[in-house]
Amino acid sequence: MTFSELNLIEPLLQALQEEGYTSPTPIQEQAIPPVLNGDDLLGCAQTGTGKTAAFSLPLLHRLHEAGPAHPAKAIRALILTPTRELALQIGDSIQAYGRHTKIRHTVIFGGVGQVPQVEQIKRGVDILVATPGRLLDLMNQGLVSLKHIETFILDEADRMLDMGFIHDVRKVIAQIPAHRQTLLFSATMPQEIQKLANSILRDPVYVEVTPVSSTAEKIGQKVFFVEKTYKRALLKHLLKETGIKRALVFSRTKHGADRIAKELSKAGIAAQSIHGDKAQSTRVKALSQFKNYELQALVATDIAARGIDVDDLTHVINVDLPNEPETYVHRIGRTGRAGADGLALSFCDDTELPYLRDIEKLTKQTIPVEEEQPFHAEYQKLPLGGGKATDKLARSGGGNQPRGPRGGGQGGRPEQRGAGQGHNRRPDQRQGSSQGGGGNRRSSGGNRGPKR
Ligand code: AMP
């Protein structure tokens, strides 16, 4: 797939060539056609997937095609993003992609004087990139009007929520005309964001991408071979002896998460578990304690962890290895954000060796084995050639596991299924709906957000 196959206008194609982009990323491939078509979009994607271009390119295309603003100098598109850094990055991208068009934009954020920002707006901009606080401030002073917004883009919605901006976001949205195109991007889809999406999107196309191997590349990884019986002891050892200030700990099951948290607490390590059986208020409280460094360990199941976005998280510890290798990449992607150092430590017992092999195959990386630990078990990694591990309990036959517990099984993995690991999933089955056929096809099926 090339950018010209996405039917983008020549000035954009030229800029992309100058930027050295040869082909669209998966999110661009999926999002550009429906956005060009005028559809609403719900995008589950992290930074690093190319999402900025995924919304900026079709936006610039549509504004260019529509010609000059009516009335002159009206703001036609609003991009709301949680931080100044993101706002500036988006501004830079729009500048780069739109350099051969006449589309004008500006970026506004708090913490600096408002005068130059207001002057820019007065001169007339087509696209306004803003953080919510400063925007509301200028709106309240009557210096910005959103009356003519045709396209509204909410970026990093889950971070808006985490940073406590969601109320401001809603206030801004209330001032945008209802008849508009809306795009919402979020790395995770906690319930609150799903609710917001339901209330502001009309029959959206849903796109989801996960930066599978690229995430793993930035993060230090180690695997600890350890018998199942000693996993909790090893965890205590790491948390007590190695100076880890804060770790997100993953457990495959809710029961396991509870047991781990309890045992850590008994050992004097501040820990809480979060999973689907816990009340929302309990989860929120645990998460905020974790963020404030009041907890050293937050023990989570995969589903519960989806809403967690802690910026400076340094350690992820997998007490169990997930049987889906993509889940591993999702888990460790919680750390090492925004250039911070990240370390992912994974415990692997003999039954999990096939999962380890699948992970190494997917990420195309060898995860070094940490032998300098008190509970080291002498396992051998499985050869990479083997087929993918199934859901069934892995067999320990074949002479690869000199010692370690046998049998017992790990039981079902209640939280594993349906954890939304599918790539580029479109539950709405509207694949290609944007290309053929004129106009905005909006069926009456109501909201088409992600199933949860
Ligand atoms: P984003 O996820 O929007 O923050 O983009 C991540 C990085 O990927 C940015 O540095 C972009 O400039 C770059 N990028 C976005 N799309 C492409 C593409 N199609 N080809 C090459 N690089 C890209």
Side-chain angles (χ1 to χ4, degrees):
M1 169 79 68
T2 61
F3 282 106
S4 52
E5 283 173 277
L6 291 171
N7 297 320
L8 289 168
I9 49 170
E10 202 48 49
L12 295 178
L13 294 177
Q14 196 185 331
L16 289 171
Q17 201 179 10
E18 289 158 10
E19 285 295 300
Y21 294 9
T22 48
S23 52
T25 66
I27 186 118
Q28 291 161 6
E29 230 175 272
Q30 291 178 65
I32 290 173
V35 179
L36 278 181
N37 196 45
D39 288 344
D40 280 5
L41 184 106
L42 179 57
C44 194
Q46 302 180 352
T47 298
T49 54
K51 76 176 155 69
T52 314
F55 62 75
S56 304
L57 291 169
L59 174 65
L60 286 162
H61 176 114
R62 280 168 64 82
L63 289 170
H64 179 87
E65 294 281 89
H70 287 294
K73 299 188 182 174
I75 303 170
R76 294 188 280 168
L78 172 67
I79 302 172
L80 265 193
T81 190
T83 68
R84 165 201 172 121
E85 289 71 30
L86 281 167
L88 287 166
Q89 271 172 38
I90 294 170
D92 288 347
S93 298
I94 290 175
Q95 176 63 38
Y97 308 144
R99 71 168 79 101
H100 301 299
T101 70
K102 293 205 171 89
I103 309 300
R104 290 160 310 171
H105 77 281
T106 196
V107 180
I108 64 170
F109 46 80
V112 295
Q114 70 174 47
V115 175
Q117 297 179 355
V118 174
E119 275 171 6
Q120 275 288 327
I121 292 167
K122 281 194 177 142
R123 261 179 252 143
V125 293
D126 301 290
I127 304 172
L128 181 62
V129 185
T131 54
R134 174 55 57 98
L135 176 61
L136 262 184
D137 200 3
L138 298 187
M139 284 162 62
N140 290 338
Q141 297 176 57
L143 297 168
V144 173
S145 161
L146 304 182
K147 261 198 332 225
H148 301 285
I149 297 290
E150 295 158 11
T151 305
F152 169 55
I153 299 170
L154 182 58
D155 185 36
E156 308 242 341
D158 51 354
R159 269 181 89 184
M160 294 277 197
L161 184 69
D162 276 350
M163 295 172 74
F165 293 163
I166 212 74
H167 196 58
D168 282 354
V169 169
R170 284 193 184 274
K171 280 194 201 157
V172 170
I173 294 172
Q175 301 298 315
I176 307 175
H179 183 75
R180 59 165 192 252
Q181 180 181 28
T182 307
L183 319 178
L184 187 156
F185 289 88
S186 197
T188 58
M189 289 290 166
Q191 233 167 20
E192 187 86 14
I193 296 302
Q194 290 176 39
K195 260 193 347 214
L196 179 74
N198 284 343
S199 67
I200 66 171
L201 298 171
R202 283 184 307 155
D203 192 17
V205 171
Y206 179 66
V207 299
E208 177 180 0
V209 295
T210 27
V212 167
S213 47
S214 63
T215 308
E217 276 156 23
K218 293 182 225 143
I219 298 162
Q221 299 171 69
K222 280 183 191 169
V223 63
F224 293 70
F225 285 159
V226 54
E227 289 181 33
K228 190 170 160 56
T229 348
Y230 297 122
K231 281 184 170 182
R232 290 198 296 278
L234 174 59
L235 179 64
K236 277 190 277 188
H237 166 79
L238 292 176
L239 290 172
K240 284 204 149 185
E241 310 296 336
T242 62
I244 299 175
K245 282 210 199 75
R246 188 171 63 175
L248 180 59
V249 177
F250 281 95
S251 160
R252 204 153 36 204
T253 65
K254 300 174 195 174
H255 180 63
D258 282 340
R259 235 179 22 198
I260 293 167
K262 219 185 223 168
E263 201 164 319
L264 292 179
S265 301
K266 255 203 220 151
I269 297 166
Q272 289 279 347
S273 61
I274 58 166
H275 53 66
D277 289 351
K278 298 238 165 175
Q280 175 74 3
S281 56
T282 314
R283 285 156 67 164
V284 169
K285 185 165 167 233
L287 188 54
S288 95
Q289 287 179 320
F290 185 61
K291 284 184 178 170
N292 297 333
Y293 287 93
E294 287 161 36
L295 295 179
Q296 193 185 353
L298 185 66
V299 191
T301 55
D302 287 300
I303 287 185
R306 291 174 78 200
I308 299 175
D309 187 10
V310 179
D311 258 352
D312 45 356
L313 183 65
T314 52
H315 289 80
V316 164
I317 302 179
N318 296 309
V319 171
D320 303 310
L321 274 184
N323 57 351
E324 298 284 352
E326 290 85 358
T327 303
Y328 173 84
V329 178
H330 274 274
R331 286 183 179 184
I332 74 167
R334 304 277 168 189
T335 182
R337 294 251 175 113
D341 283 342
L343 198 55
L345 310 176
S346 302
F347 299 175
C348 176
D349 66 32
D350 63 339
T351 68
E352 294 167 316
L353 289 164
Y355 305 152
L356 178 62
R357 177 196 55 203
D358 291 347
I359 290 163
E360 291 193 332
K361 259 196 209 171
L362 176 79
T363 59
K364 300 193 177 66
Q365 288 176 319
T366 305
I367 306 174
V369 179
E370 177 60 270
E371 296 187 6
E372 296 302 310
Q373 50 105 343
F375 305 96
H376 178 64
E378 292 288 336
Y379 305 145
Q380 298 292 318
K381 283 189 183 176
L382 300 180
L384 286 186
K388 188 171 182 285
T390 63
D391 237 354
K392 284 184 219 130
L393 182 67
R395 308 261 170 247
S396 58
N400 269 328
Q401 294 85 22
R403 67 187 177 99
R406 288 297 325 271
Q410 314 220 345
R413 281 144 198 168
E415 294 236 3
Q416 194 72 42
R417 290 279 150 230
Q421 307 303 343
H423 300 249
N424 313 344
R425 190 164 47 109
R426 278 189 185 189
D428 59 13
Q429 306 190 323
R430 287 186 65 189
Q431 244 122 339
S433 69
S434 54
Q435 266 147 355
N440 302 352
R441 186 158 63 79
R442 298 198 188 279
S443 68
S444 55
N447 185 278
R448 292 161 177 276
K451 295 180 213 131
R452 231 318 280 281

